Amino acid sequence: MGEKVVAGGFDLSDRQRYRRKLQQCLAGLRRLLEEQRFDRPKNLMGLEIELNLAGPDGMPRMMNAEVLERIASHDFQTELGMFNLEVNIAPHRLSGRVFDQLAEELRTGLNYAHRKANEVAAGIVMIGILPTLARQDLVSGNLSAVDRYTLLNDQIVAARGEDFALDIEGVERLICTSASIAPEAACTSVQLHLQVTPGRFADVWNAAQAVAAVQIAVGANAPFLFGHELWRESRPPLFLQSTDTRPPELQAQGVRPRTWFGERWITSAYDLFEENLRYFPPLLPICDDEDSLRVLDEGGVPRLAELVLHNGTVYRWNRPVYGIADGVPHLRVENRVLPAGPSVTDVIANAAFYYGLVRALAEESRPVWTRLPFGAAAANFDEACRYGIEAELEWPRPGRFGGTARRPAVDLVREELLPLAAAGLDAWGVEPADRDHFLGVIEGRCRRKKNGASWQVATYHQALDGGLERDVALAATTRRYCELMHTGEPVHLWPVGLVPDGVVQSR
């Protein structure tokens, strides 16, 4: 979705040609897989973080163009909303002190961006959903002034044919409508990339799907939207509903949403690309001049541009990615599960936990996906989004006798998954100091039952109990969150509550 797109309309012939080109790309992908043309293992990982802009009052600032002009770095880019930015960290090899290096690079980049944003009375906030966003902030007029966002909005709105209905029932219930996809911009996430060989892709993707609920349980950081307390991680239901091209009749028929957990374990990366073509009509039928099969016949590497573009409009929580580096094609698993924040340390701890756990589970002799029904993994994901660190998840019982049992997520993580993640990081060649420090952050969250969402909720309710009105309490919670985020301390060590002037609260 990052290529330059010129806003404009499409006719029937455009869609028919695009569909033919998609099938040609899919055939090209199959040939690349059959001919084993993909890159050898390089143990490469990548990291992207979506960010919010807020003022000193904690309210969103619609000024990403001005801030990006001051940052003047290719590492920072626009995102969907005018209050959004995205930072991209260059790929790193998973070994040594990689997580310490990532943390330092991220701190340096974010601190610089924050200083530049301060020049126009804004600041950088890493959080799943900015608590102070109001309905009037999420309208089409506040989409970033980039052609591809305008075109994407127009095509999704046209496909749906009516307003988007938001109905999320959590601690409170939010019901409203939107005439555009702008509410999607509220969802700011971390995307973790892992380059894998075709032979390992299915195992890594299946492992990532199995642990998506665990990632959310320990990392939830989005409990508020439009002044309502909803799910502990409200991004997934919001993203699903704000991009849903299905009117109610198609939903009732069981048509799949474009924001999708999936419905089965896979045996090949090809399965996912083929499903994307089979189930989801093209939104952006923009055709490239390349004949991918001719390129292959001539010994070249095709861009598969139509397939890549279409793939970017299907919002799987673990997405397959085709790319080319130095003239050689490669595949990546893009993990899109986690919210942004709270601190740099928390973001890197989440990454270390994910990369270690996926490596260990992908190499088990009795893989978890052979013992856990896919439907249970999907149900776990919803449970974790609703309840966060308090979630109970279905997981295979240890030992020979099989079956599954429900366990508190924090117990599952501490007793079973953290040791696996540690073994996985060892297998990557990560230094023990990095392993122990960042996995220790995950252990601390589980021990204290405290993550970004639980801190936000506890601080907000303490503010309400202190007599603040709802909107004032949310703004004060956001300001306090920003203060603590910039200290760099992990969230499980943050003191709950608003600090009165001149008073230091104990942990």
mmCIF file with all atom_site columns, all heavy atoms in Angstrom, residues 265-284:
data_model
loop_
_atom_site.group_PDB
_atom_site.id
_atom_site.type_symbol
_atom_site.label_atom_id
_atom_site.label_alt_id
_atom_site.label_comp_id
_atom_site.label_asym_id
_atom_site.label_entity_id
_atom_site.label_seq_id
_atom_site.pdbx_PDB_ins_code
_atom_site.Cartn_x
_atom_site.Cartn_y
_atom_site.Cartn_z
_atom_site.occupancy
_atom_site.B_iso_or_equiv
_atom_site.pdbx_formal_charge
_atom_site.auth_seq_id
_atom_site.auth_comp_id
_atom_site.auth_asym_id
_atom_site.auth_atom_id
_atom_site.pdbx_PDB_model_num
ATOM 1   N N   . TRP A 1 265 ? -5.662  -23.662 9.903  1.00 0.00 ? 265 TRP A N   1
ATOM 2   C CA  . TRP A 1 265 ? -4.208  -23.742 9.839  1.00 0.00 ? 265 TRP A CA  1
ATOM 3   C C   . TRP A 1 265 ? -3.808  -23.979 8.385  1.00 0.00 ? 265 TRP A C   1
ATOM 4   O O   . TRP A 1 265 ? -4.591  -24.490 7.595  1.00 0.00 ? 265 TRP A O   1
ATOM 5   C CB  . TRP A 1 265 ? -3.687  -24.885 10.721 1.00 0.00 ? 265 TRP A CB  1
ATOM 6   C CG  . TRP A 1 265 ? -4.167  -24.847 12.146 1.00 0.00 ? 265 TRP A CG  1
ATOM 7   C CD1 . TRP A 1 265 ? -4.954  -25.774 12.768 1.00 0.00 ? 265 TRP A CD1 1
ATOM 8   C CD2 . TRP A 1 265 ? -3.877  -23.851 13.131 1.00 0.00 ? 265 TRP A CD2 1
ATOM 9   N NE1 . TRP A 1 265 ? -5.191  -25.416 14.070 1.00 0.00 ? 265 TRP A NE1 1
ATOM 10  C CE2 . TRP A 1 265 ? -4.541  -24.238 14.328 1.00 0.00 ? 265 TRP A CE2 1
ATOM 11  C CE3 . TRP A 1 265 ? -3.146  -22.678 13.128 1.00 0.00 ? 265 TRP A CE3 1
ATOM 12  C CZ2 . TRP A 1 265 ? -4.483  -23.493 15.493 1.00 0.00 ? 265 TRP A CZ2 1
ATOM 13  C CZ3 . TRP A 1 265 ? -3.086  -21.918 14.291 1.00 0.00 ? 265 TRP A CZ3 1
ATOM 14  C CH2 . TRP A 1 265 ? -3.740  -22.327 15.459 1.00 0.00 ? 265 TRP A CH2 1
ATOM 15  N N   . ILE A 1 266 ? -2.600  -23.601 8.011  1.00 0.00 ? 266 ILE A N   1
ATOM 16  C CA  . ILE A 1 266 ? -2.181  -23.684 6.615  1.00 0.00 ? 266 ILE A CA  1
ATOM 17  C C   . ILE A 1 266 ? -1.027  -24.656 6.450  1.00 0.00 ? 266 ILE A C   1
ATOM 18  O O   . ILE A 1 266 ? -0.377  -25.067 7.420  1.00 0.00 ? 266 ILE A O   1
ATOM 19  C CB  . ILE A 1 266 ? -1.778  -22.297 6.069  1.00 0.00 ? 266 ILE A CB  1
ATOM 20  C CG1 . ILE A 1 266 ? -0.525  -21.772 6.798  1.00 0.00 ? 266 ILE A CG1 1
ATOM 21  C CG2 . ILE A 1 266 ? -2.945  -21.319 6.181  1.00 0.00 ? 266 ILE A CG2 1
ATOM 22  C CD1 . ILE A 1 266 ? 0.122   -20.569 6.123  1.00 0.00 ? 266 ILE A CD1 1
ATOM 23  N N   . THR A 1 267 ? -0.759  -25.007 5.192  1.00 0.00 ? 267 THR A N   1
ATOM 24  C CA  . THR A 1 267 ? 0.378   -25.880 4.864  1.00 0.00 ? 267 THR A CA  1
ATOM 25  C C   . THR A 1 267 ? 1.403   -25.178 3.999  1.00 0.00 ? 267 THR A C   1
ATOM 26  O O   . THR A 1 267 ? 2.487   -25.704 3.760  1.00 0.00 ? 267 THR A O   1
ATOM 27  C CB  . THR A 1 267 ? -0.102  -27.147 4.135  1.00 0.00 ? 267 THR A CB  1
ATOM 28  O OG1 . THR A 1 267 ? -0.804  -26.765 2.946  1.00 0.00 ? 267 THR A OG1 1
ATOM 29  C CG2 . THR A 1 267 ? -1.042  -27.967 5.035  1.00 0.00 ? 267 THR A CG2 1
ATOM 30  N N   . SER A 1 268 ? 1.067   -23.959 3.488  1.00 0.00 ? 268 SER A N   1
ATOM 31  C CA  . SER A 1 268 ? 1.974   -23.228 2.608  1.00 0.00 ? 268 SER A CA  1
ATOM 32  C C   . SER A 1 268 ? 1.579   -21.763 2.599  1.00 0.00 ? 268 SER A C   1
ATOM 33  O O   . SER A 1 268 ? 0.403   -21.422 2.791  1.00 0.00 ? 268 SER A O   1
ATOM 34  C CB  . SER A 1 268 ? 1.893   -23.793 1.183  1.00 0.00 ? 268 SER A CB  1
ATOM 35  O OG  . SER A 1 268 ? 2.505   -22.911 0.249  1.00 0.00 ? 268 SER A OG  1
ATOM 36  N N   . ALA A 1 269 ? 2.549   -20.889 2.333  1.00 0.00 ? 269 ALA A N   1
ATOM 37  C CA  . ALA A 1 269 ? 2.236   -19.470 2.150  1.00 0.00 ? 269 ALA A CA  1
ATOM 38  C C   . ALA A 1 269 ? 1.258   -19.279 1.001  1.00 0.00 ? 269 ALA A C   1
ATOM 39  O O   . ALA A 1 269 ? 0.422   -18.361 1.032  1.00 0.00 ? 269 ALA A O   1
ATOM 40  C CB  . ALA A 1 269 ? 3.523   -18.686 1.881  1.00 0.00 ? 269 ALA A CB  1
ATOM 41  N N   . TYR A 1 270 ? 1.328   -20.137 0.015  1.00 0.00 ? 270 TYR A N   1
ATOM 42  C CA  . TYR A 1 270 ? 0.432   -20.048 -1.135 1.00 0.00 ? 270 TYR A CA  1
ATOM 43  C C   . TYR A 1 270 ? -1.023  -20.080 -0.694 1.00 0.00 ? 270 TYR A C   1
ATOM 44  O O   . TYR A 1 270 ? -1.881  -19.399 -1.286 1.00 0.00 ? 270 TYR A O   1
ATOM 45  C CB  . TYR A 1 270 ? 0.725   -21.195 -2.109 1.00 0.00 ? 270 TYR A CB  1
ATOM 46  C CG  . TYR A 1 270 ? -0.092  -21.165 -3.374 1.00 0.00 ? 270 TYR A CG  1
ATOM 47  C CD1 . TYR A 1 270 ? 0.338   -20.432 -4.476 1.00 0.00 ? 270 TYR A CD1 1
ATOM 48  C CD2 . TYR A 1 270 ? -1.291  -21.862 -3.467 1.00 0.00 ? 270 TYR A CD2 1
ATOM 49  C CE1 . TYR A 1 270 ? -0.406  -20.394 -5.644 1.00 0.00 ? 270 TYR A CE1 1
ATOM 50  C CE2 . TYR A 1 270 ? -2.054  -21.826 -4.627 1.00 0.00 ? 270 TYR A CE2 1
ATOM 51  C CZ  . TYR A 1 270 ? -1.607  -21.092 -5.705 1.00 0.00 ? 270 TYR A CZ  1
ATOM 52  O OH  . TYR A 1 270 ? -2.354  -21.055 -6.859 1.00 0.00 ? 270 TYR A OH  1
ATOM 53  N N   . ASP A 1 271 ? -1.342  -20.847 0.348  1.00 0.00 ? 271 ASP A N   1
ATOM 54  C CA  . ASP A 1 271 ? -2.722  -20.946 0.830  1.00 0.00 ? 271 ASP A CA  1
ATOM 55  C C   . ASP A 1 271 ? -3.310  -19.573 1.128  1.00 0.00 ? 271 ASP A C   1
ATOM 56  O O   . ASP A 1 271 ? -4.476  -19.302 0.806  1.00 0.00 ? 271 ASP A O   1
ATOM 57  C CB  . ASP A 1 271 ? -2.786  -21.788 2.117  1.00 0.00 ? 271 ASP A CB  1
ATOM 58  C CG  . ASP A 1 271 ? -2.394  -23.234 1.916  1.00 0.00 ? 271 ASP A CG  1
ATOM 59  O OD1 . ASP A 1 271 ? -2.259  -23.661 0.750  1.00 0.00 ? 271 ASP A OD1 1
ATOM 60  O OD2 . ASP A 1 271 ? -2.213  -23.932 2.927  1.00 0.00 ? 271 ASP A OD2 1
ATOM 61  N N   . LEU A 1 272 ? -2.532  -18.711 1.752  1.00 0.00 ? 272 LEU A N   1
ATOM 62  C CA  . LEU A 1 272 ? -3.039  -17.408 2.189  1.00 0.00 ? 272 LEU A CA  1
ATOM 63  C C   . LEU A 1 272 ? -3.230  -16.472 1.002  1.00 0.00 ? 272 LEU A C   1
ATOM 64  O O   . LEU A 1 272 ? -4.252  -15.780 0.911  1.00 0.00 ? 272 LEU A O   1
ATOM 65  C CB  . LEU A 1 272 ? -2.080  -16.787 3.203  1.00 0.00 ? 272 LEU A CB  1
ATOM 66  C CG  . LEU A 1 272 ? -1.858  -17.608 4.477  1.00 0.00 ? 272 LEU A CG  1
ATOM 67  C CD1 . LEU A 1 272 ? -0.829  -16.919 5.366  1.00 0.00 ? 272 LEU A CD1 1
ATOM 68  C CD2 . LEU A 1 272 ? -3.167  -17.780 5.247  1.00 0.00 ? 272 LEU A CD2 1
ATOM 69  N N   . PHE A 1 273 ? -2.255  -16.424 0.088  1.00 0.00 ? 273 PHE A N   1
ATOM 70  C CA  . PHE A 1 273 ? -2.411  -15.570 -1.082 1.00 0.00 ? 273 PHE A CA  1
ATOM 71  C C   . PHE A 1 273 ? -3.585  -16.034 -1.939 1.00 0.00 ? 273 PHE A C   1
ATOM 72  O O   . PHE A 1 273 ? -4.357  -15.215 -2.458 1.00 0.00 ? 273 PHE A O   1
ATOM 73  C CB  . PHE A 1 273 ? -1.125  -15.570 -1.917 1.00 0.00 ? 273 PHE A CB  1
ATOM 74  C CG  . PHE A 1 273 ? 0.013   -14.822 -1.280 1.00 0.00 ? 273 PHE A CG  1
ATOM 75  C CD1 . PHE A 1 273 ? 1.024   -15.493 -0.608 1.00 0.00 ? 273 PHE A CD1 1
ATOM 76  C CD2 . PHE A 1 273 ? 0.076   -13.440 -1.351 1.00 0.00 ? 273 PHE A CD2 1
ATOM 77  C CE1 . PHE A 1 273 ? 2.080   -14.803 -0.019 1.00 0.00 ? 273 PHE A CE1 1
ATOM 78  C CE2 . PHE A 1 273 ? 1.128   -12.737 -0.773 1.00 0.00 ? 273 PHE A CE2 1
ATOM 79  C CZ  . PHE A 1 273 ? 2.131   -13.422 -0.101 1.00 0.00 ? 273 PHE A CZ  1
ATOM 80  N N   . GLU A 1 274 ? -3.749  -17.345 -2.068 1.00 0.00 ? 274 GLU A N   1
ATOM 81  C CA  . GLU A 1 274 ? -4.855  -17.875 -2.869 1.00 0.00 ? 274 GLU A CA  1
ATOM 82  C C   . GLU A 1 274 ? -6.192  -17.550 -2.216 1.00 0.00 ? 274 GLU A C   1
ATOM 83  O O   . GLU A 1 274 ? -7.158  -17.170 -2.905 1.00 0.00 ? 274 GLU A O   1
ATOM 84  C CB  . GLU A 1 274 ? -4.675  -19.386 -3.036 1.00 0.00 ? 274 GLU A CB  1
ATOM 85  C CG  . GLU A 1 274 ? -5.661  -20.030 -4.002 1.00 0.00 ? 274 GLU A CG  1
ATOM 86  C CD  . GLU A 1 274 ? -6.989  -20.391 -3.342 1.00 0.00 ? 274 GLU A CD  1
ATOM 87  O OE1 . GLU A 1 274 ? -7.012  -20.635 -2.117 1.00 0.00 ? 274 GLU A OE1 1
ATOM 88  O OE2 . GLU A 1 274 ? -8.010  -20.427 -4.060 1.00 0.00 ? 274 GLU A OE2 1
ATOM 89  N N   . GLU A 1 275 ? -6.286  -17.679 -0.890 1.00 0.00 ? 275 GLU A N   1
ATOM 90  C CA  . GLU A 1 275 ? -7.516  -17.320 -0.185 1.00 0.00 ? 275 GLU A CA  1
ATOM 91  C C   . GLU A 1 275 ? -7.861  -15.846 -0.381 1.00 0.00 ? 275 GLU A C   1
ATOM 92  O O   . GLU A 1 275 ? -9.030  -15.484 -0.540 1.00 0.00 ? 275 GLU A O   1
ATOM 93  C CB  . GLU A 1 275 ? -7.374  -17.595 1.320  1.00 0.00 ? 275 GLU A CB  1
ATOM 94  C CG  . GLU A 1 275 ? -7.625  -19.009 1.731  1.00 0.00 ? 275 GLU A CG  1
ATOM 95  C CD  . GLU A 1 275 ? -7.601  -19.174 3.247  1.00 0.00 ? 275 GLU A CD  1
ATOM 96  O OE1 . GLU A 1 275 ? -7.200  -18.228 3.961  1.00 0.00 ? 275 GLU A OE1 1
ATOM 97  O OE2 . GLU A 1 275 ? -7.995  -20.252 3.712  1.00 0.00 ? 275 GLU A OE2 1
ATOM 98  N N   . ASN A 1 276 ? -6.852  -15.007 -0.343 1.00 0.00 ? 276 ASN A N   1
ATOM 99  C CA  . ASN A 1 276 ? -7.102  -13.570 -0.502 1.00 0.00 ? 276 ASN A CA  1
ATOM 100 C C   . ASN A 1 276 ? -7.744  -13.257 -1.858 1.00 0.00 ? 276 ASN A C   1
ATOM 101 O O   . ASN A 1 276 ? -8.586  -12.361 -1.955 1.00 0.00 ? 276 ASN A O   1
ATOM 102 C CB  . ASN A 1 276 ? -5.802  -12.785 -0.340 1.00 0.00 ? 276 ASN A CB  1
ATOM 103 C CG  . ASN A 1 276 ? -5.347  -12.680 1.102  1.00 0.00 ? 276 ASN A CG  1
ATOM 104 O OD1 . ASN A 1 276 ? -6.035  -13.125 2.016  1.00 0.00 ? 276 ASN A OD1 1
ATOM 105 N ND2 . ASN A 1 276 ? -4.181  -12.095 1.324  1.00 0.00 ? 276 ASN A ND2 1
ATOM 106 N N   . LEU A 1 277 ? -7.343  -13.990 -2.892 1.00 0.00 ? 277 LEU A N   1
ATOM 107 C CA  . LEU A 1 277 ? -7.947  -13.785 -4.208 1.00 0.00 ? 277 LEU A CA  1
ATOM 108 C C   . LEU A 1 277 ? -9.333  -14.423 -4.290 1.00 0.00 ? 277 LEU A C   1
ATOM 109 O O   . LEU A 1 277 ? -10.249 -13.858 -4.894 1.00 0.00 ? 277 LEU A O   1
ATOM 110 C CB  . LEU A 1 277 ? -7.055  -14.382 -5.305 1.00 0.00 ? 277 LEU A CB  1
ATOM 111 C CG  . LEU A 1 277 ? -6.020  -13.447 -5.934 1.00 0.00 ? 277 LEU A CG  1
ATOM 112 C CD1 . LEU A 1 277 ? -5.015  -12.960 -4.907 1.00 0.00 ? 277 LEU A CD1 1
ATOM 113 C CD2 . LEU A 1 277 ? -5.336  -14.134 -7.099 1.00 0.00 ? 277 LEU A CD2 1
ATOM 114 N N   . ARG A 1 278 ? -9.490  -15.574 -3.665 1.00 0.00 ? 278 ARG A N   1
ATOM 115 C CA  . ARG A 1 278 ? -10.753 -16.313 -3.776 1.00 0.00 ? 278 ARG A CA  1
ATOM 116 C C   . ARG A 1 278 ? -11.886 -15.636 -3.016 1.00 0.00 ? 278 ARG A C   1
ATOM 117 O O   . ARG A 1 278 ? -13.040 -15.639 -3.448 1.00 0.00 ? 278 ARG A O   1
ATOM 118 C CB  . ARG A 1 278 ? -10.525 -17.736 -3.254 1.00 0.00 ? 278 ARG A CB  1
ATOM 119 C CG  . ARG A 1 278 ? -11.741 -18.643 -3.310 1.00 0.00 ? 278 ARG A CG  1
ATOM 120 C CD  . ARG A 1 278 ? -11.345 -20.107 -3.395 1.00 0.00 ? 278 ARG A CD  1
ATOM 121 N NE  . ARG A 1 278 ? -10.230 -20.438 -2.525 1.00 0.00 ? 278 ARG A NE  1
ATOM 122 C CZ  . ARG A 1 278 ? -10.354 -21.068 -1.350 1.00 0.00 ? 278 ARG A CZ  1
ATOM 123 N NH1 . ARG A 1 278 ? -11.549 -21.398 -0.899 1.00 0.00 ? 278 ARG A NH1 1
ATOM 124 N NH2 . ARG A 1 278 ? -9.290  -21.365 -0.633 1.00 0.00 ? 278 ARG A NH2 1
ATOM 125 N N   . TYR A 1 279 ? -11.568 -15.029 -1.864 1.00 0.00 ? 279 TYR A N   1
ATOM 126 C CA  . TYR A 1 279 ? -12.621 -14.528 -0.983 1.00 0.00 ? 279 TYR A CA  1
ATOM 127 C C   . TYR A 1 279 ? -12.863 -13.024 -1.080 1.00 0.00 ? 279 TYR A C   1
ATOM 128 O O   . TYR A 1 279 ? -13.944 -12.553 -0.711 1.00 0.00 ? 279 TYR A O   1
ATOM 129 C CB  . TYR A 1 279 ? -12.293 -14.864 0.476  1.00 0.00 ? 279 TYR A CB  1
ATOM 130 C CG  . TYR A 1 279 ? -12.296 -16.330 0.809  1.00 0.00 ? 279 TYR A CG  1
ATOM 131 C CD1 . TYR A 1 279 ? -11.418 -16.844 1.751  1.00 0.00 ? 279 TYR A CD1 1
ATOM 132 C CD2 . TYR A 1 279 ? -13.182 -17.211 0.186  1.00 0.00 ? 279 TYR A CD2 1
ATOM 133 C CE1 . TYR A 1 279 ? -11.419 -18.194 2.081  1.00 0.00 ? 279 TYR A CE1 1
ATOM 134 C CE2 . TYR A 1 279 ? -13.187 -18.559 0.501  1.00 0.00 ? 279 TYR A CE2 1
ATOM 135 C CZ  . TYR A 1 279 ? -12.296 -19.043 1.455  1.00 0.00 ? 279 TYR A CZ  1
ATOM 136 O OH  . TYR A 1 279 ? -12.309 -20.373 1.763  1.00 0.00 ? 279 TYR A OH  1
ATOM 137 N N   . PHE A 1 280 ? -11.881 -12.243 -1.523 1.00 0.00 ? 280 PHE A N   1
ATOM 138 C CA  . PHE A 1 280 ? -11.991 -10.791 -1.382 1.00 0.00 ? 280 PHE A CA  1
ATOM 139 C C   . PHE A 1 280 ? -11.906 -10.091 -2.735 1.00 0.00 ? 280 PHE A C   1
ATOM 140 O O   . PHE A 1 280 ? -10.874 -10.163 -3.411 1.00 0.00 ? 280 PHE A O   1
ATOM 141 C CB  . PHE A 1 280 ? -10.891 -10.270 -0.443 1.00 0.00 ? 280 PHE A CB  1
ATOM 142 C CG  . PHE A 1 280 ? -10.949 -10.903 0.911  1.00 0.00 ? 280 PHE A CG  1
ATOM 143 C CD1 . PHE A 1 280 ? -10.025 -11.865 1.280  1.00 0.00 ? 280 PHE A CD1 1
ATOM 144 C CD2 . PHE A 1 280 ? -11.958 -10.565 1.809  1.00 0.00 ? 280 PHE A CD2 1
ATOM 145 C CE1 . PHE A 1 280 ? -10.087 -12.477 2.524  1.00 0.00 ? 280 PHE A CE1 1
ATOM 146 C CE2 . PHE A 1 280 ? -12.027 -11.163 3.051  1.00 0.00 ? 280 PHE A CE2 1
ATOM 147 C CZ  . PHE A 1 280 ? -11.101 -12.121 3.418  1.00 0.00 ? 280 PHE A CZ  1
ATOM 148 N N   . PRO A 1 281 ? -12.972 -9.381  -3.142 1.00 0.00 ? 281 PRO A N   1
ATOM 149 C CA  . PRO A 1 281 ? -12.937 -8.631  -4.400 1.00 0.00 ? 281 PRO A CA  1
ATOM 150 C C   . PRO A 1 281 ? -11.882 -7.530  -4.341 1.00 0.00 ? 281 PRO A C   1
ATOM 151 O O   . PRO A 1 281 ? -11.624 -6.964  -3.273 1.00 0.00 ? 281 PRO A O   1
ATOM 152 C CB  . PRO A 1 281 ? -14.347 -8.024  -4.493 1.00 0.00 ? 281 PRO A CB  1
ATOM 153 C CG  . PRO A 1 281 ? -15.183 -8.798  -3.526 1.00 0.00 ? 281 PRO A CG  1
ATOM 154 C CD  . PRO A 1 281 ? -14.258 -9.262  -2.446 1.00 0.00 ? 281 PRO A CD  1
ATOM 155 N N   . PRO A 1 282 ? -11.274 -7.209  -5.462 1.00 0.00 ? 282 PRO A N   1
ATOM 156 C CA  . PRO A 1 282 ? -10.276 -6.128  -5.474 1.00 0.00 ? 282 PRO A CA  1
ATOM 157 C C   . PRO A 1 282 ? -10.899 -4.794  -5.083 1.00 0.00 ? 282 PRO A C   1
ATOM 158 O O   . PRO A 1 282 ? -12.027 -4.475  -5.492 1.00 0.00 ? 282 PRO A O   1
ATOM 159 C CB  . PRO A 1 282 ? -9.792  -6.107  -6.925 1.00 0.00 ? 282 PRO A CB  1
ATOM 160 C CG  . PRO A 1 282 ? -10.150 -7.443  -7.482 1.00 0.00 ? 282 PRO A CG  1
ATOM 161 C CD  . PRO A 1 282 ? -11.382 -7.877  -6.777 1.00 0.00 ? 282 PRO A CD  1
ATOM 162 N N   . LEU A 1 283 ? -10.161 -4.021  -4.293 1.00 0.00 ? 283 LEU A N   1
ATOM 163 C CA  . LEU A 1 283 ? -10.580 -2.668  -3.942 1.00 0.00 ? 283 LEU A CA  1
ATOM 164 C C   . LEU A 1 283 ? -9.898  -1.626  -4.816 1.00 0.00 ? 283 LEU A C   1
ATOM 165 O O   . LEU A 1 283 ? -10.488 -0.601  -5.141 1.00 0.00 ? 283 LEU A O   1
ATOM 166 C CB  . LEU A 1 283 ? -10.254 -2.376  -2.471 1.00 0.00 ? 283 LEU A CB  1
ATOM 167 C CG  . LEU A 1 283 ? -11.139 -3.028  -1.414 1.00 0.00 ? 283 LEU A CG  1
ATOM 168 C CD1 . LEU A 1 283 ? -10.619 -2.685  -0.025 1.00 0.00 ? 283 LEU A CD1 1
ATOM 169 C CD2 . LEU A 1 283 ? -12.585 -2.588  -1.564 1.00 0.00 ? 283 LEU A CD2 1
ATOM 170 N N   . LEU A 1 284 ? -8.652  -1.872  -5.160 1.00 0.00 ? 284 LEU A N   1
ATOM 171 C CA  . LEU A 1 284 ? -7.845  -0.897  -5.907 1.00 0.00 ? 284 LEU A CA  1
ATOM 172 C C   . LEU A 1 284 ? -7.316  -1.568  -7.174 1.00 0.00 ? 284 LEU A C   1
ATOM 173 O O   . LEU A 1 284 ? -6.172  -2.020  -7.209 1.00 0.00 ? 284 LEU A O   1
ATOM 174 C CB  . LEU A 1 284 ? -6.684  -0.389  -5.048 1.00 0.00 ? 284 LEU A CB  1
ATOM 175 C CG  . LEU A 1 284 ? -7.058  0.279   -3.722 1.00 0.00 ? 284 LEU A CG  1
ATOM 176 C CD1 . LEU A 1 284 ? -5.809  0.564   -2.901 1.00 0.00 ? 284 LEU A CD1 1
ATOM 177 C CD2 . LEU A 1 284 ? -7.828  1.567   -3.965 1.00 0.00 ? 284 LEU A CD2 1
#
